[in-house]
Amino acid sequence: MASDKPSLYTAWHSPFGWRAWISLLEKGVEFDYHETDPYEKSPEWFKISPRGLAPCIRHKGKSVYESTICMEYIDEAWPCTPRLLPEDPYDRAYVRMWTDHVNKKIIPHIFGMIVHQTATEQEKSKQDALDGIAAYLEAMRDGGPYFLGQNFSMADIALGTFGSIFFCMEHYRGFKVPNEAKFVKFHDWIQTIVARKSWQTVLPPREQVLEDWRPYAEGVAQTELAKAAKQGKTP
């Protein structure tokens, strides 16, 4: 009989993987962690993750992959509080819409500013990322400190896993979210996010993050992620 205890397959350095990892921690789910190299396309790995993607959750003999889908699955498979997707149908849709915005209008540009090697391309990616962040902040509900106001949700995890390592983009590309009126919410929000116990558990040391991103910044990374980012796609 397949075990009810889930297994998480991901890499320590992956912000996408942190999404699933943090979701499990936030829900208080007991799970087995398996450190994984998603770029090692072995037959054994494809048996676990049919498309070779990480994060991947193995639960009751079945696999769930893609980071956003993993977050939704965790919330639905373990419907205890805190709910990552609200009970109200519109609020659920709202969180999904803005998680999709993060995936399509922010993350590709975060990767883009790192992998592109010309100043023109980097500056365009920086501005596109800021435009996406500004729209996300405008969509935040009043009453803070989270995207939905008082309620932590999947939309916070979606951007927070990347926002918590913006120091890396600053280090390599000089990117910073400005201290301007329209970005005030971001700075208050990200401080609240990274203070959560789940983030403190998952985030690697700063120097390890910088070293992991160095090949992308130097233009020598040959991973699928780097290739997708150069094409302006969500990795």
Side-chain angles (χ1 to χ4, degrees):
M1 179 180 296
S3 173
D4 282 347
K5 185 179 182 182
S7 291
L8 172 64
Y9 294 82
T10 191
W12 65 268
H13 54 77
S14 170
F16 290 111
W18 300 343
R19 288 175 165 188
W21 192 352
I22 285 170
S23 296
L24 288 164
L25 292 173
E26 289 285 347
K27 302 287 285 187
V29 178
E30 185 178 349
F31 64 97
D32 292 324
Y33 178 91
H34 300 270
E35 180 63 28
T36 303
D37 180 357
Y39 301 117
E40 183 181 340
K41 306 298 186 181
S42 66
E44 291 76 16
W45 174 231
F46 278 108
K47 289 179 183 178
I48 296 168
S49 181
R51 291 177 57 192
L53 297 175
C56 178
I57 296 169
R58 188 75 176 168
H59 185 219
K60 296 183 178 179
K62 299 176 181 178
S63 295
V64 178
Y65 43 86
E66 297 279 8
S67 64
T68 300
I69 295 173
C70 285
M71 289 190 288
E72 293 197 27
Y73 179 81
I74 290 164
D75 196 49
E76 293 171 356
W78 293 276
C80 53
T81 56
R83 294 308 304 261
L84 305 181
L85 286 158
E87 294 289 348
D88 179 79
Y90 178 74
D91 286 347
R92 289 173 72 85
Y94 196 71
V95 167
R96 286 186 171 117
M97 287 188 291
W98 284 97
T99 297
D100 186 65
H101 172 87
V102 170
N103 290 342
K104 293 178 180 177
K105 300 296 185 180
I106 300 177
I107 292 174
H109 308 306
I110 296 300
F111 279 105
M113 73 178 72
I114 291 291
V115 301
H116 289 311
Q117 299 301 302
T118 69
T120 299
E121 290 176 308
Q122 291 168 11
E123 290 305 312
K124 184 179 186 307
S125 292
K126 290 178 187 180
Q127 187 56 56
D128 288 343
L130 287 175
D131 289 346
I133 293 168
Y136 177 96
L137 298 174
E138 183 67 25
M140 289 179 74
R141 300 272 177 84
D142 292 334
Y146 302 112
F147 180 77
L148 286 179
Q150 289 296 316
N151 297 320
F152 179 79
S153 73
M154 183 174 77
D156 295 296
I157 301 174
L159 181 57
T161 44
F162 287 85
S164 57
I165 58 166
F166 277 0
F167 64 81
C168 189
M169 291 74 215
E170 180 180 3
H171 179 84
Y172 287 115
R173 296 293 184 254
F175 172 79
K176 298 174 74 172
V177 177
N179 286 309
E180 299 174 1
K182 69 177 180 179
F183 292 108
V184 168
K185 283 185 179 179
F186 176 83
H187 297 287
D188 294 339
W189 169 80
I190 196 63
Q191 287 182 19
T192 302
I193 290 296
V194 299
R196 293 182 74 88
K197 184 178 179 180
S198 58
W199 257 265
Q200 295 298 309
T201 300
V202 168
L203 283 181
R206 176 188 175 95
E207 291 306 315
Q208 288 185 18
V209 175
L210 291 174
E211 182 61 22
D212 183 66
W213 283 73
R214 183 179 56 78
Y216 297 93
E218 294 178 354
V220 297
Q222 299 298 318
T223 63
E224 293 175 9
L225 185 153
K227 294 173 183 177
K230 288 176 182 177
Q231 297 172 6
K233 299 178 182 178
T234 301

